[in-house]
């Protein structure tokens, strides 16, 4: 079974995000970038499937600037066998990424495609679902447990009411939740090995895909600051303030 894992280069989750002065977007100049945490979980799950003998090859795919090669090298250091970069400087939106991944799936014919449920930069939570629709594949989102057997995937997913278990036919698209696994620590020897692994670079035109954005960002602004909290003497004073000042009861 061949497994394809999509990874995205995003601002590191420890970095305090700042908006550009002209409000055209987020300032990423001289900012630490890293792999989207949900995608890292996806790579870890794919590698674990290979280690169990359920997968024969793990391929990491990323779309974006040349700097995304660093993210793909990290994926290969975790354990991916090879990587594909679809290089473009166009602002990529979920639909364009889904179309690019669909074209790669047509080439590679993976039995399982794993994506993070969302990226921490745009929080769109759309690419996996769009890819499943474009590729006419079964899908299971927000996976907290994945089991593969007899050409099917048994996926436990987190929903508002608790847990839901789905049995889907392969090929399929699975998006990962935080509780699926804990990614392994990347060691220096594995980082060195990753430098020698195969990394292919394609252009959107090679795949016959137009990645031009369909949406335009008008303005990006920071959320308003929160007022400082206050202490009250007793429950009666609390209820009075909630009713007469906050007007929430």
């Amino acid at each position: 079974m061949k497994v394809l894992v999509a990874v995205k280069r995003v601002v590191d989750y420890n970095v305090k995000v700042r908006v550009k002065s002209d409000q055209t977007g987020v300032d990423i100049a001289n900012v630490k970038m890293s792999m989207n945490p949900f995608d890292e979980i996806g790579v870890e799950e794919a590698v674990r499937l290979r280690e169990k003998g359920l997968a024969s090859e793990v391929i990491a795919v990323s779309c974006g600037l040349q700097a995304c090669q660093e993210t793909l090298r990290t994926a290969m250091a975790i354990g991916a066998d090879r990587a594909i970069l679809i290089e473009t400087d166009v602002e990529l939106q979920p639909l364009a990424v889904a179309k690019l991944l669909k074209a790669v799936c047509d080439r590679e014919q993976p039995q399982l495609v794993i994506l993070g449920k969302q990226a921490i930069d745009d929080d769109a939570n759309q690419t996996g679902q769009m890819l499943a629709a474009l590729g006419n594949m079964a899908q299971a989102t927000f996976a907290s447990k994945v089991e593969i057997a007899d050409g099917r995937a048994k996926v436990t997913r987190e929903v508002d009411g608790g847990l839901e278990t789905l049995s889907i036919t392969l090929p399929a698209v699975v998006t990962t939740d935080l509780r699926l696994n804990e990614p392994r620590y990347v060691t220096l020897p594995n980082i060195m090995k990753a430098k020698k692994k195969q990394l292919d670079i394609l252009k959107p035109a090679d795949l016959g895909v137009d990645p031009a954005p369909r949406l335009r960002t008008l303005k990006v602004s920071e959320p308003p600051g929160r007022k400082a909290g206050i202490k009250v003497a007793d429950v009666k004073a609390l209820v009075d303030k909630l009713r007469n000042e906050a007007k929430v009861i």
Side-chain angles (χ1 to χ4, degrees), residues 73 76-78 184-195 197:
R73 293 294 179 192
M76 289 189 285
I78 294 173
R184 68 194 67 189
Y185 178 75
V186 179
T187 62
L188 182 58
N190 287 337
I191 293 174
M192 300 307 293
K193 290 177 184 177
K195 292 182 179 180
K197 291 184 178 181

Side-chain angles (χ1 to χ4, degrees), residues 88-120:
T88 176
D89 56 1
V90 174
E91 178 193 351
L92 293 174
Q93 295 174 353
L95 180 58
V97 175
K99 288 180 177 179
L100 292 169
L101 293 176
K102 162 65 166 54
V104 173
C105 288
D106 290 342
R107 283 191 173 200
E108 297 291 341
Q109 295 295 310
Q111 285 70 53
L112 181 64
V113 185
I114 303 178
L115 305 89
K117 72 171 184 179
Q118 64 195 77
I120 61 173

